[in-house]
Amino acid sequence: MAPTQWRPELCGPTPLCPPVPVILESPATDLACAHCGDVCPAEPLRLAELPFCCAGCRTVYELLNDNQLCTYYALGERPGLKIKAVELPGRFDYLASEAVQAQLLSFRSAERGRLTLHVPQMHCTSCIWLLEHLPRLHAGVVEARVQFLRKEITITYLLADISLPEVVQLLASVGYEPQITLAELGAQPHRASHTLYYQLGLAAFAFGNVMLLALPEYFSFVEDLQAGFGRFFGYLSLVLALPVLLYSARGFFRSAGQGLRQRHINLDFPISLGLASLFSVSTFEVLTGRGPGYFDSFTGLVFFMLIGKWVQQRTYDALRFDRDYTAYFPVAVTRLTPAGEQSISVQELAVGHRIRVRHQEVIPADAVLRRGAGQIDYSFVSGESTPVTRAAGDLVYAGGRQLGEALELEVVRGVSQGYLTQLWNNPAFTKDAAGPTLETYANRAGRYFVALTLLLAAGTLAYWAPRDQATMWRAFTSVLVIACPCALSLATPFALGAALRVLGRHKLYLKNAAVIETLARADTLVFDKTGTLTDPTQSAVQYHGRPLLPLEKQLIATAAAQSTHPLSQRLARELATEAVPLATCQEYPGQGLSATAASGQALRLGSAAFVGASASGPEGTPETCVHVALDGELTGYFTFRNVYRPALPAVLTALSQRYRLAVLSGDTDAEGPRLRALFGPAAELRFGQSPADKLAYVAAERALGHTVVMIGDGLNDAGALRAANAGIALTDTLTNFSPACDAILEAVELGRLATFLGFSRACLRAVLATFALSLCYNAVGLTLAVQGHFTPIASAILMPLSSLSVMVMATLLVRWAARRYQL
Amino acid sequence: MTIIFLLIGLSLLVALTFLAAFLWAVRSGQYDDAYTPSVRMLFEDEPELRP
């Protein structure tokens, strides 16, 4: 790595020459922490020659080592999770409450309790191993079972030996603190729906057996067999096919019925029509002894279409796409009553209550700050990770995370009435969640299909009626039978299901396959700024003022490293020099810190008021500033500016050729010129947008007929994400909170957004090509049908052939598209 | 050829047994998690360390 650049001589205070920014680089250290694999500081903590980056990691290692659980480190590469420095006593006390336990525990007897917890941190084989070996760490834990894909752990424990808060504390002590939030309360262990498996199994059973029974019909050399047993086989097939009609195919009929009730014909309507006529024609033929019917085709169709459903249904269990604010807000808050502190559930929180919010806790409701210095990190709301300072008497909005000392707040609005949570009262959230927002191609094709089929069937009736009564009925029913667009219905699930997996491999996780179609048809892309276009973990640190001596830099870096404030941490990381011994170091929450070096040099680092600077220095600059005073003399200030994600210019250039682009920012327009340069002259840039404004903008664009994709990250984008045709939530780590959305994209892959959208379009073309193929089969079938030549054997060949070839072609076309887009 | 009635009856019975086995497997949750067991079975069996 290159040596750290630090050239203060370039930013001298000469008035003619404006300060030249110096962007600093991260330090180079080659020691990796034995627990978490992070880079160790210059003088790492040691235990038995192994380096550790912090005391938390060393504690976990010691704990595991003492219990002979070090296999943990052998299974995966650096599996450990960094332990948050601050442990709060009493953080899990609310779990001791009877009401909370009643909601959390899925089973409880006199001596045992069982519950399922969501542990988003688990990520590898080592995690599974350690979590399933919890009983080693505490005898009170009887059993621990991990559901890795859902990131859930089911723990059975002895009530006499360990309490629920202790169980959770145990998990937290090894770095796997479970996520227990308002939304998860009362959620019983995930019960996957087994219905589709039952339906599929039944259809497969019936298909296999009916096909065997129908075989003699297709071969002339077993004619005498057919003569003797034909009727028996027919009745047996009817008996086998009946449960398929009544149970396996139920979903298609129900969906068609729902569509009809909403005066809407979807693809399931012609399917149901075809299935119903196929079954009734076959029953009629069997009962009247005319032939064996089409039961093999019928059961086969249902089986193939259920496979299509199964392929499409595969989703990402561990990701939650429907999270609202309740998933983020805490379960319990500390209420201050005259009798003392009391832990109450967030739902019970009412206007006027006094609450205490400690370090790292989330503010659950809009409230007035009564006591304490608020340092509130709103990164989950806005994407901006620099804390906001609030003093007593200020109004504090819900959703922020307090850093520093405990606060006393007075609630002024109920949880669901807050500035932020009111978003969820918007009609965009109350409208039918399941309702498709876009008319899919499959449904539109289905409608034309119905019209065409009915027209053809009527034409057949009219043509044959004066000529041949017997052929007329056969031809008429055959048209209805062949009209079952099963191949058509298989094209979408197989193509989009394959695409879903391709995108998942590249860290774009879609809620369901239908989202691909929406992405492919998008014409407007709306971005949030902070946290989406900018990288919240990076900032360009610039120093303005008189040049600093190397020793002074060391002092600043060492003092800043003592503080947990994000700006101090960032500063320490940027300066990254060798530590100097400090005589004193004192932090003043919300203001800054003061330190004295062993050499006697005094440093004050922090806000302008704290350091004693007049506000004149950085006036007008939108950036966050940290002032520096050495021995009472002001030397200058550091500015922290958010940096845009490095991949942004390239991806925007690619996107602007095809899409209308817009930026909705909650900030002032200080960044306007930079954004304009990035987005080009045609883009819509809006600043000072409230969450409701963002929602309204997206809704207005949709009303104009545009297909809108919103890309955002915080809770304040939740409304816009919801209102858009497709909302993509950007996240830096998957375990982090992401608001309700249709897709979750890992931030490192933002640069491939143009590729993803292009690939979606290619997938949609693949679907259309497969439609064409299946229509060819239907044309062949219909040609036979209108002439009255559509026999059971023609059906038995055509139906599986079309289904299978459509499945194969859809999958292959998508794979080919993926290769073309290098995905 | 009436033996065919018996044979078909028997074959159906066998098929029904498999169907029942499948339904039981689904019901007992074997299809709920198709990943973790594949990892779990590779863990080393260790001697019981608790006293």
Side-chain angles (χ1 to χ4, degrees):
Chain A
M1 265 195 180
T4 311
Q5 287 180 2
W6 178 252
R7 293 176 294 164
E9 67 276 8
L10 289 179
C11 30
T14 331
L16 289 173
C17 156
V20 178
V22 177
I23 295 172
L24 302 159
E25 286 177 17
S26 311
T29 317
D30 44 4
L31 274 180
C33 172
H35 175 70
C36 68
D38 273 12
V39 173
C40 289
E43 283 171 30
L45 298 158
R46 299 239 171 214
L47 181 80
E49 291 309 302
L50 291 166
F52 292 94
C53 64
C54 57
C57 285
R58 192 175 61 177
T59 313
V60 178
Y61 182 85
E62 272 184 291
L63 181 68
L64 298 183
N65 195 26
D66 291 349
N67 289 282
Q68 274 112 43
L69 285 172
C70 278
T71 315
Y72 179 57
Y73 297 103
L75 291 172
E77 186 85 0
R78 309 277 177 217
L81 297 155
K82 200 160 185 118
I83 304 293
K84 277 184 205 137
V86 193
E87 278 294 329
L88 289 167
R91 191 158 44 126
F92 303 118
D93 281 357
Y94 68 90
L95 292 170
S97 116
E98 201 52 44
V100 171
Q101 291 206 2
Q103 279 179 294
L104 277 178
L105 292 176
S106 61
F107 167 81
R108 189 174 189 175
S109 71
E111 55 287 348
R112 280 159 189 254
R114 186 187 304 136
L115 82 164
T116 301
L117 293 166
H118 188 60
V119 185
Q121 297 92 322
M122 63 170 92
H123 61 282
C124 65
T125 315
S126 288
C127 302
I128 302 177
W129 187 85
L130 179 62
L131 288 171
E132 298 210 331
H133 281 77
L134 270 191
R136 285 259 196 96
L137 288 177
H138 197 295
V141 179
V142 179
E143 195 196 13
R145 293 291 268 190
V146 169
Q147 246 280 22
F148 184 74
L149 295 181
R150 279 202 201 94
K151 315 242 188 245
E152 282 174 353
I153 180 167
T154 305
I155 296 176
T156 313
Y157 64 97
L158 296 173
L159 297 172
D161 293 344
I162 189 169
S163 70
L164 184 56
E166 283 166 355
V167 170
V168 174
Q169 182 66 51
L170 182 68
L171 280 172
S173 70
V174 285
Y176 295 93
E177 184 179 330
Q179 198 176 47
I180 307 171
T181 59
L182 206 50
E184 263 125 47
L185 260 198
Q188 290 306 309
H190 216 94
R191 274 271 143 246
S193 168
H194 291 152
T195 317
L196 188 57
Y197 283 106
Y198 292 147
Q199 289 178 335
L200 200 55
L202 189 67
F205 161 77
F207 176 43
N209 286 286
V210 172
M211 201 161 57
L212 277 180
L213 295 174
L215 218 55
E217 172 72 12
Y218 304 143
F219 298 105
S220 52
F221 59 86
V222 283
E223 244 165 44
D224 45 333
L225 187 71
Q226 182 60 22
F229 298 98
R231 273 196 94 106
F232 168 63
F233 287 175
Y235 283 121
L236 207 53
S237 305
L238 174 60
V239 170
L240 286 171
L242 198 62
V244 175
L245 177 80
L246 295 179
Y247 186 68
S248 296
R250 203 164 53 178
F252 303 105
F253 291 110
R254 190 173 291 161
S255 152
Q258 268 169 4
L260 278 188
R261 267 199 295 284
Q262 293 164 6
R263 300 180 172 277
H264 176 86
I265 288 179
N266 52 24
L267 188 60
D268 282 332
F269 179 75
I271 289 176
S272 306
L273 194 68
L275 287 178
S277 47
L278 199 52
F279 190 83
S280 39
V281 169
S282 311
T283 312
F284 175 74
E285 288 201 353
V286 165
L287 292 182
T288 54
R290 284 161 195 251
Y294 303 88
F295 285 122
D296 55 336
S297 302
F298 171 76
T299 48
L301 277 187
V302 174
F303 175 62
F304 286 127
M305 286 192 296
L306 286 174
I307 288 187
K309 261 193 175 179
W310 179 65
V311 167
Q312 199 175 23
Q313 151 191 289
R314 202 209 110 130
T315 45
Y316 301 96
D317 286 328
L319 300 179
R320 313 269 165 109
F321 292 96
D322 49 0
R323 287 195 279 205
D324 60 9
Y325 63 92
T326 57
Y328 178 57
F329 280 14
V331 174
V333 282
T334 313
R335 188 186 160 196
L336 299 173
T337 56
E341 287 192 9
Q342 181 196 354
S343 186
I344 65 165
S345 135
V346 165
Q347 283 117 327
E348 295 171 56
L349 204 60
V351 175
H353 280 178
R354 284 243 171 177
I355 56 170
R356 175 163 288 160
V357 173
R358 299 191 190 83
H359 178 61
Q360 288 289 344
E361 285 186 343
V362 173
I363 294 160
D366 294 1
V368 172
L369 186 58
R370 287 293 174 216
R371 191 179 297 162
Q375 281 289 313
I376 301 159
D377 168 11
Y378 278 108
S379 58
F380 287 91
V381 175
S382 64
E384 174 60 64
S385 59
T386 308
V388 179
T389 307
R390 288 280 176 276
D394 288 349
L395 180 67
V396 180
Y397 289 121
R401 191 183 279 280
Q402 161 68 1
L403 305 170
E405 62 175 332
L407 302 181
E408 243 184 81
L409 300 160
E410 187 179 323
V411 178
V412 292
R413 275 192 284 265
V415 174
S416 63
Q417 297 303 315
Y419 171 71
L420 188 67
T421 48
Q422 256 188 347
L423 259 188
W424 275 267
N425 301 332
N426 188 286
F429 286 91
T430 49
K431 80 176 175 208
D432 179 23
T437 47
L438 257 195
E439 167 85 323
T440 60
Y441 279 129
N443 281 342
R444 206 185 300 171
R447 213 163 25 245
Y448 288 118
F449 213 86
V450 175
L452 190 71
T453 311
L454 294 179
L455 212 65
L456 262 176
T460 318
L461 270 186
Y463 177 82
W464 286 108
R467 295 177 178 79
D468 183 348
Q469 288 284 321
T471 315
M472 176 187 86
W473 285 115
R474 199 167 65 235
F476 176 68
T477 50
S478 307
V479 169
L480 288 183
V481 165
I482 195 68
C484 183
C486 96
L488 203 66
S489 79
L490 286 173
T492 321
F494 272 86
L496 299 190
L500 191 79
R501 278 184 281 280
V502 169
L503 291 175
R505 274 206 298 280
H506 292 86
K507 296 174 182 165
L508 173 61
Y509 307 96
L510 303 181
K511 185 177 171 183
N512 56 45
V515 179
I516 297 176
E517 200 166 329
T518 316
L519 291 181
R521 288 154 71 179
D523 59 2
T524 305
L525 302 180
V526 181
F527 293 89
D528 166 53
K529 185 178 83 72
T530 316
T532 304
L533 298 178
T534 63
D535 187 342
T537 60
Q538 301 291 323
S539 52
V541 180
Q542 294 171 21
Y543 176 74
H544 310 260
R546 88 153 163 79
L548 293 168
L549 302 170
L551 209 65
E552 294 167 342
K553 266 186 313 177
Q554 286 182 10
L555 174 60
I556 294 171
T558 316
Q562 309 299 316
S563 159
T564 53
H565 193 282
L567 289 182
S568 308
Q569 290 288 328
R570 235 174 259 175
L571 192 57
R573 205 168 58 224
E574 297 285 349
L575 292 175
T577 56
E578 276 171 40
V580 290
L582 292 180
T584 62
C585 186
Q586 168 89 46
E587 189 171 359
Y588 301 89
Q591 301 176 66
L593 56 87
S594 74
T596 324
S599 61
Q601 192 167 36
L603 165 77
R604 279 171 93 80
L605 196 64
S607 67
F610 177 73
V611 174
S614 60
S616 67
E619 196 170 20
T621 43
E623 296 104 359
T624 320
C625 291
V626 168
H627 294 258
V628 185
L630 286 162
D631 289 328
E633 174 217 357
L634 282 174
T635 55
Y637 57 93
F638 289 95
T639 60
F640 297 78
R641 202 185 55 202
N642 279 327
V643 289
Y644 289 102
R645 295 185 190 272
L648 208 58
V651 72
L652 287 178
T653 314
L655 288 173
S656 59
Q657 287 161 10
R658 189 175 185 99
Y659 297 97
R660 301 166 64 243
L661 300 177
V663 177
L664 302 180
S665 170
D667 298 345
T668 54
D669 60 358
E671 288 281 302
R674 276 173 80 195
L675 281 173
R676 180 59 73 195
L678 275 170
F679 276 79
E684 173 93 23
L685 305 180
R686 293 194 176 202
F687 298 96
Q689 299 279 300
S690 74
D693 289 342
K694 293 186 178 186
L695 194 160
Y697 175 80
V698 170
E701 285 293 300
R702 277 191 69 178
L704 290 174
H706 295 297
T707 306
V708 184
V709 172
M710 169 81 199
I711 299 123
D713 69 315
L715 264 180
N716 63 349
D717 302 320
L721 288 171
R722 184 64 189 246
N725 294 89
I728 303 178
L730 208 63
T731 172
D732 281 289
T733 40
L734 269 185
T735 55
N736 268 4
F737 171 82
S738 53
C741 55
D742 300 299
I744 296 175
L745 174 63
E746 280 196 46
V748 286
E749 294 283 345
L750 181 68
R752 294 181 101 160
L753 190 62
T755 317
F756 292 146
L757 292 172
F759 175 66
S760 314
R761 286 196 302 276
C763 290
L764 209 55
R765 284 197 295 275
V767 169
L768 292 180
T770 321
F771 274 7
L773 175 74
S774 75
L775 285 177
C776 289
Y777 284 115
N778 281 107
V780 172
L782 282 172
T783 319
L784 289 174
V786 291
Q787 295 168 16
H789 295 320
F790 190 69
T791 53
I793 188 159
S795 158
I797 294 170
L798 203 61
M799 294 261 185
L801 185 70
S802 64
S803 300
L804 285 174
S805 60
V806 159
M807 289 181 194
V808 171
M809 178 164 156
T811 315
L812 286 184
L813 279 178
V814 167
R815 288 239 178 119
W816 182 59
R819 177 170 292 189
R820 238 172 353 134
Y821 281 92
Q822 291 169 351
L823 287 176
Chain B
M1 287 294 269
T2 40
I3 191 70
I4 281 198
F5 287 111
L6 181 69
L7 287 178
I8 284 186
L10 281 178
S11 74
L12 266 182
L13 210 65
V14 173
L16 273 172
T17 320
F18 284 124
L19 178 67
F22 173 74
L23 295 183
W24 167 80
V26 173
R27 179 176 283 265
S28 65
Q30 295 183 30
Y31 284 79
D32 289 356
D33 184 1
Y35 179 78
T36 325
S38 72
V39 175
R40 194 179 286 135
M41 65 172 281
L42 295 175
F43 291 150
E44 223 41 84
D45 283 336
E46 287 163 55
E48 195 62 35
L49 287 167
R50 236 184 295 159

